[in-house]
Amino acid sequence: NTETINAVGSATSLWFLRLMTSNAPETTSSGADALNVLRDVQWLLEQVQPRARSKLYLIASPTTAIELSTMPTTTGAPAFPGMSATGGMLLNMPCLVSDEWEMDTDHFGRLALVDASQLAGNLDTMTVQTSTETSIEQSSAPTGAVDVPTAMTQAFTSMFQEDSTAIKITRRMGCVKLRPTACAIVNSAGYSGS
């Protein structure tokens, strides 16, 4: 169903964001107005060091995207007319919005720049398996293993005895940063426009 597919997509996005931001240069936002947005993006560009073949993408948390899309200039016009609460173009670069950032961090105001040409990766399709005969260890810290024989310390639930069906979704993926300049992050971006 759609909710299950969205949950796998969310987990995939969270994994990717954690990988991209691991050991990436970070700074605190310059300030709240449009001029400081430009300063923040300039800092991101200096860290990522784009070249002619770069594929640049800004990634914003939802809070940051809302603030950027509603930020006024001093005359009241939209400061970034190509930006919306769900993404768009910010300074002629695609800006994607990621809900997962606000689930994974205390920083509700985040803006990152990623150069996709500095990444290598592969994402397989999802596989879905169901079973009415399996047993499941229903724990957030499971001890039983399917790959290495491990003694069970938790109670298992039999799908057969419970007249239930278990669903297992698997997605294989891999990604590496080819250079340490693949990503940079601005934290605490409170772009209120004032």
Side-chain angles (χ1 to χ4, degrees), residues 135 137 141-154 156:
S135 293
E137 184 176 8
T143 58
V146 295
D147 54 348
V148 177
T150 305
M152 297 182 289
T153 59
Q154 304 286 332
F156 276 66

Side-chain angles (χ1 to χ4, degrees), residues 19-24 118-120 175-180 182-183:
L19 175 74
M20 285 303 90
T21 58
S22 172
N23 299 320
Q118 296 186 42
L119 307 175
C175 185
V176 293
K177 293 188 237 183
L178 301 175
R179 293 192 297 271
C183 178

Side-chain angles (χ1 to χ4, degrees), residues 83-151:
M83 189 64 190
S84 78
T86 58
M89 296 295 284
L90 180 63
L91 303 174
N92 294 319
M93 291 180 279
C95 184
L96 311 173
V97 179
S98 175
D99 293 332
E100 288 68 36
W101 248 350
E102 290 189 358
M103 297 184 324
D104 188 43
T105 181
D106 293 332
H107 302 291
F108 282 86
R110 283 190 122 183
L111 183 65
L113 180 63
V114 174
D115 181 358
S117 73
Q118 296 186 42
L119 307 175
N122 187 36
L123 179 64
D124 286 346
T125 58
M126 288 186 283
T127 59
V128 180
Q129 297 171 299
T130 62
S131 175
T132 56
E133 292 95 25
T134 192
S135 293
I136 299 176
E137 184 176 8
Q138 295 187 3
S139 171
S140 59
T143 58
V146 295
D147 54 348
V148 177
T150 305

Side-chain angles (χ1 to χ4, degrees), residues 29-37 67 70-74 79 190-194:
S29 177
S30 302
D33 61 14
L35 179 59
N36 287 306
V37 172
E67 291 169 346
T70 59
M71 179 177 286
T73 63
T74 54
Y191 299 131
S192 62
S194 55

